[in-house]
Amino acid sequence: MKTSLRTLTFVVCVISSIAYGQKFEGLALTPPMGWNSWNKFGCNVDEQMIRQIADSMVSSGMKDAGYQYVVIDDCWHGGRDSMGFIYPNAQRFPSGMKALAGYIHAKGLKFGIYSCAGNKTCGGHPGSRGYEYQDALTYAKWGVDYLKYDWCNTSGLNAAGAYTTMRDALFATGRPIVFSICEWGENQPWNWAKDVGHLWRITGDITNCFDCQVDHGTWTSWGIMQTIEMRKDIRKFAGPGHWNDPDMMEVGNGMTTAEDRAHFTLWCMVAAPLISGNDLRAMSKETIEILTNKEVVAVDQDSLGVQGFRYKDSEEGMETWIKPLSHGDWAVCFLNRSGKTVKFEFDWAKNNIYDDLSKTAINNDLVYQVRDLWKKKHIGDTKKRISADIPSHDVLMVRLIKQ
Ligand code: GLA
């Protein structure tokens, strides 16, 4: 009798840990796509701007290209009421978050919000520490579909534990909410977050500069090249439902068109979440063309879900990046990091390209069609060498199509 009671208790524990102790599965099977307020607007967020951004996500063609989440980052907060419930800043969000979520949902988009594992957010607003279940319930009631969860003011907290608490709180609401872990890679989330979040930041904050870093005294923000260099050997941790996140994009925030194109291409090559960070209400034609190039987006969103890798650094600042795709196709990016145009040649027959993660190779016995994804045209096949002038800080990106 005693044993069977013990067995029963064990079974109940196992079942309840299965039922409550998990992240929402089936979300972010390809890297999440959307927009976040932080890179362009910082703390200057309000409901009118967010509505206009949602309008523009539709009218610019971004929704049609796959962008979905409209995420308000830090500083939306008002305070906590006498019962501890969080509420938004009444001047900036007079209609409240539920109404804003309704507006976004009516456009066929999804709504995201920001909080922090610490006592306070990075911007000094109320954090979720000690309020995890209450906050998760509030977000679910508002209709939140995505939570970015930061890591400021967390002294004494264990990262895996704190993020697991919020994961469980989100799961307990019963609402599917994508969980975006933002602790900048400090606690190596790729080692523990596969079953905790759907994406995790691997780097500190990005800045709108191709090749520089900005010192802010107590912290540094990183350019595109610095960000892409920062973590090595972690591609094996990414895959459907759990992505490495090199931060939100700076496309349209002041770099040259070539740099924006190179930045976007690299994010797609490494299967990064494509969270735009610019003002969608005032985009140049070039910015829209970059963000909505469906053939390039398809490389990021490929269902195989394998993060690409740098195949080689060659001379004169040229690098070659490779990403295996479904159906035996490959994406290849030739990146010119140097300050001048490079006359570039690449002979497929002289390169044996093997990916030791997917255990597949570009098969030199086959002839692949080669399609330039930025020019949107076929440029021959792999029997022919690639020969091109690649401008400074620009890319040539091709898809090898298996016939
Ligand atoms: C941290 C994050 C940023 C942003 C700010 C908000 O720095 O890394 O992406 O969310 O906090 O304060």
Side-chain angles (χ1 to χ4, degrees):
M1 190 63 190
K2 251 190 183 161
T3 319
S4 66
L5 192 63
R6 233 183 265 141
T7 313
L8 188 67
T9 314
F10 176 74
V11 169
V12 168
C13 286
V14 168
I15 289 173
S16 49
S17 75
I18 290 167
Y20 301 110
Q22 64 178 79
K23 74 176 192 186
F24 236 101
E25 295 297 347
L27 297 178
L29 296 180
T30 60
M33 294 176 67
W35 174 89
N36 173 297
S37 53
W38 184 254
N39 285 357
K40 178 70 185 179
F41 297 96
C43 275
N44 200 12
V45 287
D46 62 63
E47 64 177 41
Q48 195 197 347
M49 182 267 278
I50 300 292
R51 282 204 206 104
Q52 290 168 352
I53 291 286
D55 295 346
S56 304
M57 191 179 274
V58 177
S59 62
S60 64
M62 284 179 68
K63 179 187 176 212
D64 188 45
Y67 296 84
Q68 205 180 13
Y69 294 98
V70 176
V71 183
I72 313 177
D73 206 281
D74 206 349
C75 305
W76 57 265
H77 317 72
R80 292 192 182 278
D81 68 14
S82 59
M83 303 284 285
F85 286 101
I86 192 84
Y87 56 83
N89 179 308
Q91 274 81 52
R92 291 178 176 272
F93 296 91
S95 318
M97 288 304 184
K98 197 175 164 64
L100 186 53
Y103 184 89
I104 290 169
H105 289 153
K107 299 200 153 280
L109 300 170
K110 291 186 185 289
F111 178 50
I113 212 163
Y114 161 102
S115 188
C116 182
N119 299 315
K120 288 193 166 159
T121 69
C122 298
H125 296 277
S128 290
R129 184 171 186 177
Y131 294 90
E132 292 87 353
Y133 280 77
Q134 202 173 359
D135 284 356
L137 211 56
T138 303
Y139 304 151
K141 274 196 187 154
W142 287 345
V144 165
D145 307 294
Y146 182 111
L147 175 67
K148 172 176 169 183
Y149 204 52
D150 217 337
W151 189 242
C152 282
N153 307 302
T154 50
S155 69
L157 274 182
N158 168 279
Y163 281 98
T164 302
T165 302
M166 190 43 119
R167 172 201 75 173
D168 293 348
L170 291 173
F171 191 73
T173 70
R175 186 176 173 86
I177 298 176
V178 169
F179 190 31
S180 159
I181 294 175
C182 176
E183 57 71 82
W184 322 299
E186 288 192 349
N187 302 276
Q188 293 80 45
W190 45 89
N191 286 325
W192 50 263
K194 182 174 180 220
D195 297 323
V196 179
H198 300 96
L199 60 157
W200 49 76
R201 281 273 294 278
I202 57 171
T203 47
D205 287 8
I206 198 167
T207 191
N208 60 338
C209 162
F210 192 72
D211 196 359
C212 76
Q213 60 194 63
V214 182
D215 186 1
H216 302 272
T218 52
W219 61 288
T220 305
S221 55
W222 309 95
I224 308 307
M225 288 300 107
Q226 285 67 23
T227 299
I228 212 80
E229 285 301 333
M230 214 167 292
R231 305 286 176 193
K232 310 271 191 253
D233 304 324
I234 61 168
R235 60 185 286 256
K236 63 173 177 278
F237 298 103
H242 49 96
W243 306 101
N244 286 319
D245 174 9
D247 207 357
M248 304 159 311
M249 295 187 289
E250 292 283 11
V251 174
N253 278 344
M255 292 188 292
T256 67
T257 301
E259 290 171 341
D260 275 355
R261 184 165 41 235
H263 166 27
F264 190 74
T265 301
L266 286 168
W267 261 231
C268 292
M269 293 300 290
V270 298
L274 296 181
I275 308 293
S276 51
N278 56 318
D279 187 349
L280 304 191
R281 301 167 304 178
M283 290 192 278
S284 68
K285 192 172 126 279
E286 291 79 10
T287 297
I288 295 178
E289 271 170 19
I290 291 171
L291 290 173
T292 63
N293 184 323
K294 289 185 183 174
E295 295 186 56
V296 177
V297 167
V299 169
D300 180 78
Q301 296 289 301
D302 187 83
S303 59
L304 201 58
V306 176
Q307 182 174 328
F309 61 101
R310 180 163 29 206
Y311 164 65
K312 74 172 168 193
D313 303 335
S314 35
E315 284 150 21
E316 299 184 85
M318 287 299 306
E319 292 181 3
T320 303
W321 288 72
I322 305 285
K323 184 179 194 279
L325 304 175
S326 48
H327 311 300
D329 286 6
W330 293 80
V332 183
C333 160
F334 304 108
L335 165 70
N336 179 1
R337 292 178 67 153
S338 82
K340 57 179 181 12
T341 298
V342 171
K343 271 199 172 315
F344 181 72
E345 298 240 315
F346 190 85
D347 191 346
W348 303 99
K350 291 196 180 131
N351 286 275
N352 289 311
I353 299 176
Y354 176 71
D355 172 20
D356 57 9
L357 181 59
S358 64
K359 309 254 183 287
T360 51
I362 295 181
N363 184 344
N364 284 335
D365 296 334
L366 297 179
V367 180
Y368 298 81
Q369 288 284 322
V370 181
R371 183 164 173 86
D372 182 327
L373 299 186
W374 286 112
K375 297 226 168 79
K376 300 182 183 171
K377 63 173 196 208
H378 281 66
I379 56 170
D381 59 41
T382 47
K383 274 196 288 194
K384 190 180 135 202
R385 276 189 305 181
I386 293 239
S387 174
D389 286 349
I390 304 182
S392 165
H393 295 182
D394 208 340
V395 287
L396 170 63
M397 184 194 202
V398 299
R399 183 178 183 117
L400 304 191
I401 303 166
K402 195 175 165 193
Q403 323 203 42

